Each structure stands twice: as structure tokens, then as C-alpha cells.
Amino acid sequence: VDPCPVHGTMSHTDKDAAHVPELLQCLRDALSALLEVRPANPLQFLLAHFRRVSDPDSLESLAYLLNACPRSRKCFEDQLHSAFMTLKRPKTDAVQHQVCETFLRHLASLEPLPQELQQELLEQLRAATEGGLVRFNQFCSVIEACLIANEALEGSQVLLRACGESVSPQERAQRLQSLCGVLDSTVQHQGQDALRELLPTLGQPPFQKLRDEMRKYNLNAVEGPLE
């Protein structure tokens, strides 16, 4: 029992007060991360952040925090490196394949990605594994390919909501491929080649047609139905 100058033991109030500086620092770190990442869902991001603080071994919260950081942000590379350093084996420069696969599955389930694409990503990971370990460059390549696919799927969902629900499953798949194609052709990073291998039929239908549909939807929303 902690001593107290007056009563010989520390009261519950004193113990609670002793944790205040720690809690304040935790809140500062959370707000700092929020301002740096600027996630689409701030409350969900904070929830994942606090879960990560309370359970540092949680791969689920780590996956969410990495996925929430847009790749266009300067902090993305730091987040990716931090994830690798968290997952890697002590005294090595690599992540165990099983740990990396579990982390990849968490990432792929956030949207979630189609099962076929998840399997392609897992096969890509197996091909990048040497001696049961995944090095940093290979880790970045596969993880970024998954993040690109997540972004494309999220973008396709926004587009499908804008175009209405009367869209066939085949057309949904084609539009997802088209959005992935746009990302693949404009993003310069290690995940680009991996994504090209995962989605060999990119580019159909033309993205310009999808963009025209979105523009028409926006005009309808602002000005009413077009004549």
C-alpha cells in the first residue's frame, strides 16, 4: 500500500490524481495524431488510437490506424515504418510471415475487399516471403497494394451511391477495377507494380465515363433534374 503523509496510506483520490498527468499526455498524443492524419472519421480514429494505447499488441487497431492515414499525407511513410517496427521480430529487420499475414487480413477486411482480391494479396505476400520472414521493402509493397485497393473500393462505393443502387454486380466489379486503374496509373510508389499484377484487367470501363456520371449527379443534386 502506498504511504500517505497524513494517514499512512494513499487515498483513492490521491491515486486518481497521480494518473492525471499520464491521462493528459495520452489526450495530447491522440489530438496530435488526429491533427496530423486528419482521418475521414475522427471519432472512429480516436477510438482505435485509445484501443491501441490500452492494447499495444492489437493488430486490428494498428491496421485501422494505418488505413485511416491517407497516402497523400506526409505522415504516411512514418505510419508505415512504425507499423513495420511494431510487427518485426526483436533483434531482426523482418516480420514473421504469419504475423504479416494476420495484419494483412485485418487491413483487407476493413472495407472489406472482395475475397478474390484478398487471396491475390495473400499470394503476393507468400511470394515476397523468404525463410518465413518479410523484409521492409516487400512489406511496404504488399501493404501499400492493399491500401490502394481499399481506397479504390471506398471510392467506388461513393460513386455507386451517387449513381443509385440499380447497378449489377458485374458493373460494380468493373467500376472498382476502373478506379484501381486510375490509382495505378497516377501513384508512384512500390505498391504500384504489386497492384498491376493483382488486377490485370484494369481500365474498363473508361474512367471518363464514370467521372461524367458523377458530374451529372452533382449537377442534379445542386440544380435539380437536368432537362
Side-chain angles (χ1 to χ4, degrees), residues 181-202:
V182 173
L183 288 170
D184 184 50
S185 64
T186 58
V187 177
Q188 301 295 326
H189 55 72
Q190 294 174 339
Q192 185 174 0
D193 292 338
L195 183 62
R196 187 180 296 111
E197 293 176 6
L198 296 176
L199 301 172
T201 58
L202 297 176

Side-chain angles (χ1 to χ4, degrees), residues 36-216:
E36 184 178 38
V37 174
R38 300 179 188 177
N41 191 328
L43 292 179
Q44 193 69 27
F45 179 86
L46 288 175
L47 178 61
H49 178 87
F50 290 128
R51 282 178 174 171
R52 175 91 180 122
V53 171
S54 63
D55 183 9
D57 296 328
S58 172
L59 296 185
E60 185 176 0
S61 58
L62 180 62
Y64 181 90
L65 292 173
L66 179 59
N67 188 72
C69 182
R71 291 178 300 104
S72 59
R73 296 265 185 260
K74 293 181 179 180
C75 61
F76 173 74
E77 291 186 2
D78 293 336
Q79 296 279 356
L80 188 60
H81 182 264
S82 177
F84 177 81
M85 295 301 291
T86 299
L87 298 174
K88 78 180 188 70
R89 294 180 61 185
K91 299 181 181 180
T92 70
D93 59 350
V95 180
Q96 285 185 320
H97 174 268
Q98 187 59 46
V99 174
C100 194
E101 179 176 323
T102 302
F103 182 67
L104 182 61
R105 288 182 184 276
H106 282 304
L107 272 179
S109 66
L110 290 172
E111 293 303 332
L113 292 178
Q115 191 63 35
E116 296 81 1
L117 184 52
Q118 291 190 36
Q119 290 302 317
E120 292 285 354
L121 286 165
L122 292 172
E123 289 179 13
Q124 185 77 15
L125 176 62
R126 294 187 190 99
T129 302
E130 298 179 4
L133 298 175
V134 182
R135 307 291 176 182
F136 180 68
N137 287 342
Q138 288 72 30
F139 173 84
C140 291
S141 178
V142 177
I143 296 302
E144 283 196 70
C146 182
L147 293 172
I148 293 172
N150 280 351
E151 289 182 6
L153 180 57
E154 183 180 3
S156 70
Q157 289 171 343
V158 172
L159 180 61
L160 291 171
R161 286 195 297 269
C163 297
E165 296 299 327
S166 57
V167 180
S168 67
Q170 293 79 9
E171 191 170 359
R172 286 174 183 264
Q174 286 181 336
R175 293 184 180 186
L176 173 58
Q177 290 174 347
S178 178
L179 289 170
C180 285
V182 173
L183 288 170
D184 184 50
S185 64
T186 58
V187 177
Q188 301 295 326
H189 55 72
Q190 294 174 339
Q192 185 174 0
D193 292 338
L195 183 62
R196 187 180 296 111
E197 293 176 6
L198 296 176
L199 301 172
T201 58
L202 297 176
Q204 296 183 12
F207 184 71
Q208 184 61 45
K209 178 181 179 181
L210 304 180
R211 188 160 48 190
D212 289 342
E213 291 180 12
M214 178 64 81
R215 185 181 297 113
K216 182 184 294 186

